[in-house]
Amino acid sequence: MEYLKANNLRIGNIVASSGNPSNIKTWVIGKVISISSLDTDFEQIEVETDEEFTWFFKDNYFGVPLSIEKLLSFGFKELRDGIYQFWSKDVGIFQVMICSDNNGFGIRIWTTGTLGRTIYCVNDFQNLFYSLTGVELEMS
């Protein structure tokens, strides 16, 4: 599991922390509400979990893998096999294509062509969506 750096996160990103990242049952998943320090010696983020507000510290938080369930929680609907679509008056239509490769489940984003990158983690997807649309992608 590759740990994230605070400077790659935005407020609202979904991330996880655990003493044992390879055991999903031990994960604490939360939404970033504050990035306290980008100092490489003491970077930390505050997150809101289902139970509490807590701090995740340097080299102890990582991306949550994307899944169809996560896409649905963001408001995407299945358009046809492997293609999911998001619609809002602020964004219009935004489509993603599900793919699977040696790195696991992912999505490929396109506008009129392929951007050439597969996204595997929720926070990367949230950041790309915001970069392309200017709208925050929130879980329901």
Side-chain angles (χ1 to χ4, degrees), residues 4 8-17 27-33 35 45-50 56 61-67 70-71 73-74 120-127 136-140:
L4 298 172
N8 292 326
L9 295 174
R10 298 179 57 254
I11 303 300
N13 279 168
I14 305 299
V15 296
S17 182
W27 289 12
V28 175
I29 297 175
K31 178 169 76 170
V32 176
I33 59 170
I35 300 172
I45 59 175
E46 185 178 15
V47 297
E48 179 182 5
T49 70
D50 288 340
F56 290 173
Y61 47 92
F62 46 89
V64 174
L66 270 172
S67 65
K70 296 281 189 277
L71 281 178
S73 73
F74 283 129
Y120 299 98
C121 291
V122 172
N123 67 292
D124 289 335
F125 182 55
Q126 289 176 289
N127 293 344
E136 297 290 349
L137 193 55
E138 298 282 338
M139 283 189 164
S140 57

Side-chain angles (χ1 to χ4, degrees), residues 2 7 11 21-22 25 32 34 40-41 56 58-60 65 76 79 89 103 107 112 117 119 121-122 127 137:
E2 185 175 322
N7 63 354
I11 303 300
S22 61
K25 292 178 181 176
V32 176
S34 170
T40 56
D41 292 329
F56 290 173
K58 178 183 178 181
D59 296 333
N60 198 28
F76 280 79
L79 184 61
K89 65 179 183 163
N103 295 316
I107 58 172
T112 56
R117 181 167 180 232
I119 305 293
C121 291
V122 172
N127 293 344
L137 193 55

Side-chain angles (χ1 to χ4, degrees), residues 53-111:
F53 293 91
T54 190
W55 292 95
F56 290 173
F57 296 95
K58 178 183 178 181
D59 296 333
N60 198 28
Y61 47 92
F62 46 89
V64 174
L66 270 172
S67 65
I68 289 173
E69 292 77 22
K70 296 281 189 277
L71 281 178
L72 296 174
S73 73
F74 283 129
F76 280 79
K77 307 279 187 227
E78 186 170 17
L79 184 61
R80 59 183 180 275
D81 191 36
I83 306 292
Y84 286 76
Q85 179 174 291
F86 178 89
W87 181 90
S88 79
K89 65 179 183 163
D90 296 328
V91 173
I93 294 174
F94 190 94
Q95 294 180 342
V96 297
M97 180 173 60
I98 304 300
C99 64
S100 185
D101 58 23
N102 293 337
N103 295 316
F105 177 90
I107 58 172
R108 192 165 279 275
I109 313 295
W110 71 92
T111 53

